[in-house]
Coordinates of all heavy atoms in Angstrom, one line a residue:
M1 N -19.3 25.9 44.0 CA -18.9 26.0 42.6 C -17.7 25.0 42.4 O -16.8 24.9 43.3 CB -18.5 27.4 42.2 CG -19.6 28.3 42.1 SD -19.3 30.0 41.7 CE -18.8 29.8 40.1
S2 N -17.7 24.5 41.3 CA -16.6 23.6 41.0 C -15.6 24.2 39.9 O -16.2 24.9 39.0 CB -17.0 22.2 40.6 OG -17.6 22.3 39.4
E3 N -14.4 24.0 40.0 CA -13.5 24.5 39.0 C -12.7 23.4 38.5 O -12.0 22.7 39.3 CB -12.6 25.7 39.7 CG -11.8 26.3 38.7 CD -11.0 27.5 39.3 OE1 -11.5 28.1 40.2 OE2 -9.9 27.7 38.9
T4 N -12.7 23.3 37.2 CA -11.9 22.2 36.6 C -10.5 22.8 36.3 O -10.4 23.8 35.6 CB -12.6 21.7 35.3 OG1 -13.9 21.3 35.7 CG2 -11.8 20.5 34.7
T5 N -9.5 22.1 36.7 CA -8.2 22.4 36.4 C -7.6 21.3 35.6 O -7.8 20.2 35.8 CB -7.3 22.7 37.5 OG1 -7.3 21.5 38.4 CG2 -7.9 23.8 38.4
F6 N -6.8 21.6 34.5 CA -6.1 20.6 33.7 C -4.7 20.5 34.2 O -4.1 21.5 34.7 CB -6.2 21.1 32.3 CG -7.5 21.1 31.7 CD1 -8.2 22.3 31.6 CD2 -8.2 19.9 31.3 CE1 -9.5 22.4 31.0 CE2 -9.5 19.9 30.8 CZ -10.1 21.1 30.7
P7 N -4.2 19.3 34.2 CA -2.8 19.1 34.7 C -1.7 19.9 34.1 O -0.8 20.3 34.7 CB -2.6 17.6 34.6 CG -3.6 17.2 33.6 CD -4.8 18.2 33.5
S8 N -1.9 20.2 32.9 CA -0.9 21.0 32.2 C -1.4 21.9 31.2 O -2.3 21.6 30.4 CB 0.1 19.9 31.4 OG 1.1 20.6 30.7
Q9 N -1.0 23.1 31.2 CA -1.4 24.1 30.2 C -0.3 24.2 29.0 O -0.5 25.0 28.2 CB -1.5 25.4 30.9 CG -2.6 25.5 32.0 CD -4.0 25.2 31.4 OE1 -4.3 25.7 30.3 NE2 -4.8 24.5 32.2
H10 N 0.6 23.4 29.1 CA 1.6 23.4 28.0 C 1.1 22.8 26.7 O 0.2 22.0 26.8 CB 2.9 22.7 28.5 CG 3.5 23.2 29.7 ND1 4.2 24.4 29.7 CD2 3.6 22.7 30.9 CE1 4.6 24.7 31.0 NE2 4.2 23.7 31.7
A11 N 1.6 23.2 25.7 CA 1.3 22.7 24.4 C 1.8 21.3 24.3 O 2.9 20.9 24.9 CB 2.0 23.5 23.2
P12 N 1.1 20.4 23.6 CA 1.6 18.9 23.5 C 3.0 18.9 22.8 O 3.2 19.7 21.9 CB 0.5 18.2 22.7 CG -0.2 19.3 22.1 CD -0.1 20.6 22.9
A13 N 3.8 17.9 23.2 CA 5.1 17.8 22.6 C 4.9 17.4 21.1 O 4.1 16.7 20.7 CB 5.9 16.7 23.3
A14 N 5.8 18.0 20.3 CA 5.7 17.7 18.9 C 6.3 16.3 18.7 O 7.3 16.0 19.4 CB 6.6 18.8 18.1
P15 N 5.7 15.6 17.7 CA 6.3 14.2 17.4 C 7.7 14.3 16.9 O 8.1 15.3 16.1 CB 5.3 13.6 16.5 CG 4.6 14.8 15.8 CD 4.6 15.9 16.9
A16 N 8.5 13.4 17.3 CA 9.9 13.3 16.8 C 9.9 13.0 15.3 O 9.2 12.1 14.9 CB 10.7 12.3 17.7
P17 N 10.7 13.7 14.6 CA 10.8 13.4 13.1 C 11.5 12.1 12.9 O 12.4 11.7 13.7 CB 11.6 14.6 12.6 CG 12.3 15.2 13.7 CD 11.5 14.9 14.9
I18 N 11.1 11.4 11.9 CA 11.7 10.1 11.6 C 12.9 10.3 10.6 O 12.7 10.9 9.6 CB 10.7 9.1 11.0 CG1 9.6 8.9 11.9 CG2 11.4 7.8 10.6 CD1 8.4 8.1 11.3
P19 N 14.1 9.9 10.9 CA 15.2 10.1 10.0 C 15.0 9.4 8.7 O 14.5 8.3 8.6 CB 16.5 9.7 10.7 CG 16.0 9.5 12.2 CD 14.5 9.3 12.2
L20 N 15.5 9.9 7.6 CA 15.3 9.4 6.3 C 16.0 8.0 6.2 O 15.4 7.1 5.6 CB 16.0 10.3 5.2 CG 15.9 9.8 3.8 CD1 14.4 9.7 3.4 CD2 16.6 10.7 2.9
R21 N 17.2 7.8 6.9 CA 17.8 6.5 6.8 C 17.1 5.4 7.5 O 17.3 4.2 7.3 CB 19.2 6.6 7.4 CG 19.3 6.8 8.9 CD 20.7 6.9 9.4 NE 20.8 7.1 10.8 CZ 20.7 8.3 11.4 NH1 20.5 9.4 10.7 NH2 20.7 8.4 12.7
E22 N 16.2 5.8 8.4 CA 15.4 4.7 9.0 C 14.1 4.4 8.2 O 13.5 3.3 8.2 CB 14.9 5.2 10.4 CG 16.0 5.2 11.4 CD 15.6 5.5 12.8 OE1 14.4 5.3 13.1 OE2 16.4 5.9 13.6
I23 N 13.6 5.3 7.5 CA 12.3 5.1 6.7 C 12.6 4.7 5.3 O 11.8 4.0 4.7 CB 11.5 6.4 6.7 CG1 10.0 6.1 6.7 CG2 11.8 7.4 5.6 CD1 9.1 7.2 7.0
L24 N 13.8 4.8 4.8 CA 14.2 4.5 3.5 C 14.0 3.0 3.1 O 13.3 2.7 2.1 CB 15.6 5.0 3.1 CG 15.9 4.9 1.6 CD1 15.0 5.7 0.7 CD2 17.4 5.2 1.4
P25 N 14.5 2.1 4.0 CA 14.3 0.7 3.6 C 12.7 0.3 3.6 O 12.3 -0.5 2.7 CB 14.9 -0.1 4.8 CG 15.9 0.8 5.4 CD 15.3 2.2 5.2
W26 N 12.0 0.9 4.4 CA 10.5 0.6 4.4 C 9.9 1.2 3.2 O 8.9 0.6 2.6 CB 9.9 1.1 5.7 CG 10.3 0.3 6.9 CD1 11.2 0.7 7.8 CD2 9.9 -1.1 7.2 NE1 11.3 -0.3 8.8 CE2 10.6 -1.4 8.4 CE3 9.0 -1.9 6.6 CZ2 10.4 -2.6 8.9 CZ3 8.9 -3.2 7.2 CH2 9.6 -3.5 8.4
A27 N 10.3 2.4 2.8 CA 9.8 3.0 1.5 C 10.2 2.2 0.3 O 9.3 1.9 -0.5 CB 10.4 4.4 1.4
I28 N 11.4 1.6 0.3 CA 11.8 0.7 -0.9 C 11.0 -0.6 -0.8 O 10.5 -1.0 -1.9 CB 13.2 0.5 -0.8 CG1 14.1 1.8 -1.1 CG2 13.6 -0.6 -1.8 CD1 15.5 1.6 -0.9
F29 N 10.8 -1.1 0.3 CA 10.0 -2.4 0.5 C 8.6 -2.1 0.1 O 8.0 -2.9 -0.7 CB 10.1 -2.9 1.9 CG 9.2 -4.0 2.2 CD1 9.6 -5.3 1.7 CD2 8.1 -3.9 3.0 CE1 8.8 -6.4 2.0 CE2 7.3 -5.0 3.2 CZ 7.6 -6.3 2.7
G30 N 8.0 -1.0 0.6 CA 6.6 -0.7 0.1 C 6.5 -0.5 -1.3 O 5.5 -0.9 -2.0
G31 N 7.5 0.2 -1.9 CA 7.4 0.5 -3.4 C 7.5 -0.9 -4.2 O 6.8 -1.0 -5.1
L32 N 8.4 -1.8 -3.7 CA 8.4 -3.1 -4.4 C 7.2 -3.9 -4.3 O 6.7 -4.5 -5.2 CB 9.6 -3.9 -3.8 CG 11.0 -3.4 -4.2 CD1 12.1 -4.2 -3.5 CD2 11.2 -3.5 -5.7
M33 N 6.5 -3.8 -3.1 CA 5.2 -4.5 -2.9 C 4.2 -3.9 -3.9 O 3.4 -4.6 -4.4 CB 4.8 -4.4 -1.4 CG 5.6 -5.2 -0.5 SD 5.6 -7.0 -0.8 CE 7.2 -7.3 -1.5
L34 N 4.2 -2.6 -4.0 CA 3.2 -1.9 -4.9 C 3.5 -2.3 -6.3 O 2.6 -2.6 -7.1 CB 3.2 -0.4 -4.7 CG 2.6 0.1 -3.4 CD1 2.8 1.6 -3.3 CD2 1.1 -0.2 -3.5
L35 N 4.8 -2.3 -6.8 CA 5.1 -2.8 -8.1 C 4.7 -4.2 -8.3 O 4.2 -4.5 -9.4 CB 6.6 -2.6 -8.4 CG 7.1 -1.2 -8.5 CD1 8.6 -1.1 -8.7 CD2 6.4 -0.6 -9.8
L36 N 4.9 -5.1 -7.3 CA 4.5 -6.5 -7.5 C 3.0 -6.5 -7.6 O 2.4 -7.3 -8.5 CB 4.9 -7.3 -6.2 CG 4.8 -8.8 -6.3 CD1 5.7 -9.3 -7.4 CD2 5.1 -9.4 -5.0
A37 N 2.2 -5.9 -6.8 CA 0.8 -5.8 -6.9 C 0.4 -5.2 -8.3 O -0.6 -5.7 -8.8 CB 0.1 -5.0 -5.8
L38 N 1.0 -4.2 -8.7 CA 0.7 -3.6 -10.1 C 0.9 -4.6 -11.2 O 0.2 -4.8 -12.1 CB 1.6 -2.4 -10.3 CG 1.2 -1.5 -11.5 CD1 -0.2 -0.9 -11.3 CD2 2.2 -0.4 -11.6
Y39 N 2.0 -5.4 -11.0 CA 2.3 -6.5 -12.0 C 1.2 -7.4 -12.0 O 0.7 -7.9 -13.1 CB 3.6 -7.2 -11.8 CG 3.7 -8.5 -12.5 CD1 3.9 -8.4 -13.9 CD2 3.5 -9.7 -11.9 CE1 4.0 -9.6 -14.6 CE2 3.5 -10.8 -12.6 CZ 3.8 -10.8 -14.0 OH 3.8 -12.0 -14.6
F40 N 0.8 -8.0 -10.9 CA -0.2 -9.1 -10.8 C -1.5 -8.5 -11.2 O -2.3 -9.3 -11.9 CB -0.3 -9.6 -9.4 CG 0.7 -10.7 -9.1 CD1 1.7 -10.5 -8.2 CD2 0.7 -11.9 -9.8 CE1 2.7 -11.5 -8.0 CE2 1.6 -12.9 -9.6 CZ 2.6 -12.6 -8.6
V41 N -1.8 -7.3 -11.0 CA -3.2 -6.8 -11.4 C -3.2 -6.4 -12.9 O -4.1 -6.7 -13.7 CB -3.6 -5.6 -10.6 CG1 -4.8 -4.9 -11.1 CG2 -3.8 -6.0 -9.1
G42 N -2.0 -5.8 -13.3 CA -2.1 -5.2 -14.6 C -1.4 -6.0 -15.7 O -1.7 -5.9 -16.9
A43 N -0.5 -7.0 -15.4 CA 0.3 -7.6 -16.5 C 0.4 -9.1 -16.4 O 1.0 -9.7 -17.3 CB 1.7 -7.1 -16.6
E44 N -0.2 -9.7 -15.4 CA -0.2 -11.2 -15.3 C -1.3 -11.8 -16.2 O -2.3 -12.2 -15.7 CB -0.5 -11.5 -13.8 CG -0.6 -13.0 -13.4 CD 0.5 -13.8 -13.7 OE1 1.7 -13.3 -13.6 OE2 0.4 -15.0 -14.1
Q45 N -0.9 -11.8 -17.4 CA -1.9 -12.3 -18.5 C -1.2 -12.6 -19.7 O -0.2 -11.8 -20.1 CB -3.0 -11.2 -18.7 CG -4.1 -11.8 -19.6 CD -5.1 -10.7 -19.9 OE1 -4.9 -9.5 -19.6 NE2 -6.2 -11.1 -20.4
G46 N -1.4 -13.7 -20.3 CA -0.9 -14.0 -21.7 C 0.6 -14.1 -21.7 O 1.2 -14.9 -20.9
A47 N 1.3 -13.4 -22.5 CA 2.8 -13.6 -22.7 C 3.6 -13.1 -21.5 O 4.7 -13.6 -21.3 CB 3.2 -12.7 -23.9
T48 N 3.0 -12.2 -20.8 CA 3.8 -11.7 -19.5 C 3.4 -12.5 -18.3 O 3.8 -12.1 -17.3 CB 3.5 -10.2 -19.3 OG1 2.1 -10.0 -19.1 CG2 4.0 -9.4 -20.5
S49 N 2.6 -13.6 -18.5 CA 2.2 -14.3 -17.2 C 3.4 -15.2 -16.7 O 4.0 -15.9 -17.5 CB 1.0 -15.2 -17.7 OG 0.6 -15.9 -16.5
L50 N 3.6 -15.2 -15.4 CA 4.5 -16.0 -14.8 C 3.9 -17.3 -14.2 O 4.5 -18.3 -14.1 CB 5.2 -15.3 -13.6 CG 6.1 -14.1 -14.0 CD1 6.6 -13.5 -12.7 CD2 7.2 -14.6 -14.9
V51 N 2.6 -17.2 -13.8 CA 1.9 -18.2 -13.3 C 1.0 -18.9 -14.4 O 0.2 -18.2 -15.0 CB 1.0 -17.8 -12.1 CG1 0.3 -19.0 -11.5 CG2 1.8 -17.1 -11.1
P52 N 1.2 -20.2 -14.6 CA 0.4 -20.8 -15.7 C -1.0 -20.9 -15.3 O -1.4 -21.0 -14.2 CB 1.0 -22.2 -15.9 CG 1.8 -22.5 -14.7 CD 2.2 -21.1 -14.1
G53 N -1.9 -20.7 -16.4 CA -3.3 -20.8 -16.1 C -3.9 -19.4 -15.9 O -3.2 -18.4 -16.0
M54 N -5.2 -19.4 -15.6 CA -5.9 -18.1 -15.5 C -6.2 -17.7 -14.1 O -7.0 -16.9 -13.8 CB -7.2 -18.2 -16.4 CG -6.9 -18.2 -17.9 SD -6.1 -16.8 -18.5 CE -7.6 -15.6 -18.4
Y55 N -5.6 -18.5 -13.1 CA -6.1 -18.4 -11.7 C -5.8 -16.9 -11.2 O -6.7 -16.3 -10.6 CB -5.4 -19.3 -10.8 CG -5.8 -19.3 -9.3 CD1 -7.0 -19.7 -9.0 CD2 -4.9 -18.6 -8.5 CE1 -7.4 -19.7 -7.7 CE2 -5.4 -18.5 -7.1 CZ -6.5 -19.1 -6.8 OH -6.9 -19.0 -5.4
V56 N -4.5 -16.4 -11.4 CA -4.2 -15.1 -10.9 C -5.1 -14.0 -11.6 O -5.5 -13.1 -11.0 CB -2.7 -14.8 -11.1 CG1 -2.4 -13.4 -10.7 CG2 -1.9 -15.8 -10.2
H57 N -5.2 -14.2 -12.9 CA -6.0 -13.2 -13.7 C -7.4 -13.1 -13.2 O -8.0 -12.1 -13.0 CB -6.0 -13.6 -15.1 CG -6.8 -12.6 -15.9 ND1 -6.4 -11.4 -16.4 CD2 -8.0 -12.8 -16.4 CE1 -7.4 -10.8 -17.1 NE2 -8.4 -11.6 -17.1
E58 N -8.0 -14.3 -12.9 CA -9.4 -14.3 -12.4 C -9.5 -13.8 -11.0 O -10.5 -13.1 -10.7 CB -10.0 -15.7 -12.5 CG -10.1 -16.3 -13.9 CD -11.1 -15.5 -14.7 OE1 -12.0 -14.9 -14.2 OE2 -10.9 -15.4 -16.0
F59 N -8.5 -14.0 -10.3 CA -8.4 -13.5 -8.9 C -8.4 -12.0 -8.8 O -9.1 -11.4 -7.9 CB -7.2 -14.1 -8.1 CG -7.3 -13.8 -6.6 CD1 -8.1 -14.5 -5.8 CD2 -6.4 -12.9 -6.1 CE1 -8.1 -14.2 -4.4 CE2 -6.4 -12.7 -4.7 CZ -7.3 -13.3 -3.9
V60 N -7.7 -11.3 -9.7 CA -7.6 -9.9 -9.7 C -8.4 -9.2 -10.8 O -8.2 -8.0 -11.1 CB -6.1 -9.4 -9.8 CG1 -5.3 -9.9 -8.7 CG2 -5.5 -9.9 -11.1
H61 N -9.3 -9.9 -11.3 CA -10.0 -9.5 -12.5 C -10.9 -8.2 -12.2 O -10.8 -7.2 -13.0 CB -11.0 -10.5 -13.0 CG -11.7 -10.2 -14.3 ND1 -13.0 -10.2 -14.5 CD2 -11.1 -9.8 -15.5 CE1 -13.3 -9.9 -15.7 NE2 -12.2 -9.6 -16.3
D62 N -11.5 -8.1 -11.0 CA -12.3 -6.9 -10.7 C -11.3 -5.7 -10.5 O -11.7 -4.6 -10.8 CB -13.1 -7.2 -9.5 CG -14.3 -8.1 -9.8 OD1 -14.6 -8.3 -10.9 OD2 -14.8 -8.7 -8.8
G63 N -10.2 -6.0 -10.0 CA -9.2 -4.9 -9.8 C -8.7 -4.4 -11.1 O -8.5 -3.2 -11.3
R64 N -8.6 -5.2 -12.1 CA -8.2 -4.8 -13.4 C -9.2 -3.8 -14.0 O -8.9 -2.7 -14.5 CB -8.1 -6.0 -14.4 CG -6.9 -6.9 -14.1 CD -7.0 -8.0 -15.2 NE -6.7 -7.5 -16.5 CZ -5.4 -7.4 -17.0 NH1 -4.4 -7.7 -16.3 NH2 -5.3 -7.0 -18.3
H65 N -10.5 -4.1 -13.8 CA -11.5 -3.2 -14.4 C -11.6 -2.0 -13.5 O -11.8 -0.9 -14.0 CB -12.9 -4.0 -14.4 CG -13.0 -5.0 -15.5 ND1 -13.4 -4.6 -16.7 CD2 -12.7 -6.3 -15.5 CE1 -13.4 -5.7 -17.5 NE2 -12.9 -6.7 -16.8
L66 N -11.4 -2.1 -12.2 CA -11.5 -0.9 -11.4 C -10.4 0.1 -11.7 O -10.6 1.3 -11.7 CB -11.3 -1.3 -9.9 CG -11.3 -0.2 -8.9 CD1 -12.7 0.4 -8.7 CD2 -10.9 -0.7 -7.5
L67 N -9.1 -0.4 -12.0 CA -8.0 0.5 -12.3 C -7.9 0.8 -13.8 O -7.0 1.6 -14.1 CB -6.7 -0.2 -11.9 CG -6.7 -0.4 -10.3 CD1 -5.4 -1.2 -10.0 CD2 -6.7 0.9 -9.6
G68 N -8.8 0.3 -14.6 CA -8.8 0.7 -16.0 C -7.9 0.0 -16.9 O -7.5 0.5 -18.0
F69 N -7.3 -1.2 -16.5 CA -6.4 -1.9 -17.4 C -7.3 -2.6 -18.5 O -8.4 -3.1 -18.2 CB -5.6 -3.0 -16.6 CG -4.5 -2.5 -15.8 CD1 -4.7 -2.3 -14.4 CD2 -3.3 -2.0 -16.4 CE1 -3.7 -1.8 -13.6 CE2 -2.3 -1.5 -15.6 CZ -2.5 -1.4 -14.3
P70 N -6.8 -2.6 -19.7 CA -7.6 -3.3 -20.7 C -7.7 -4.8 -20.4 O -6.7 -5.4 -20.0 CB -6.8 -3.0 -22.0 CG -5.4 -2.6 -21.6 CD -5.5 -2.1 -20.2
C71 N -8.8 -5.4 -20.6 CA -9.0 -6.7 -20.2 C -9.7 -7.5 -21.3 O -9.2 -8.3 -22.1 CB -9.7 -6.9 -19.0 SG -9.9 -8.5 -18.3
H72 N -11.0 -7.2 -21.5 CA -11.8 -8.0 -22.5 C -12.9 -7.1 -23.0 O -13.0 -5.9 -22.6 CB -12.4 -9.2 -22.0 CG -13.2 -9.0 -20.7 ND1 -14.5 -8.6 -20.7 CD2 -12.9 -9.1 -19.4 CE1 -15.0 -8.4 -19.5 NE2 -14.0 -8.8 -18.7
Ligands
LIG101 ZN1 -12.3 -8.3 -17.7

């Protein structure tokens, strides 16, 4: 007969919590990137356009419709 033994019967160590002061800059950075993406998808058109022409609008056009922004 064979008997399987596991090396440790202890519970796995709990992951160390990430301090707020370490995650806050990344949270702000991620929030700014999301706002930038929201601008390009939702408002980069017409009077609020920063990039001349329709290139950005056409590039994110399907995203506009997916997220329900008014388009055409
Ligand atoms: Zn459209």
Side-chain angles (χ1 to χ4, degrees):
M1 289 178 72
S2 67
E3 183 175 330
T4 304
T5 58
F6 295 100
S8 174
Q9 298 295 325
H10 300 287
I18 302 173
L20 182 64
R21 67 179 181 277
E22 288 185 22
I23 210 168
L24 189 61
W26 292 104
I28 292 172
F29 175 73
L32 287 175
M33 291 297 107
L34 285 174
L35 285 176
L36 191 65
L38 190 65
Y39 164 76
F40 276 112
V41 172
E44 172 63 32
Q45 184 183 16
T48 60
S49 178
L50 293 178
V51 181
M54 294 293 289
Y55 181 77
V56 174
H57 176 80
E58 294 298 331
F59 189 73
V60 298
H61 189 233
D62 290 342
R64 290 179 68 88
H65 285 272
L66 178 70
L67 297 174
F69 287 102
C71 185
H72 55 81

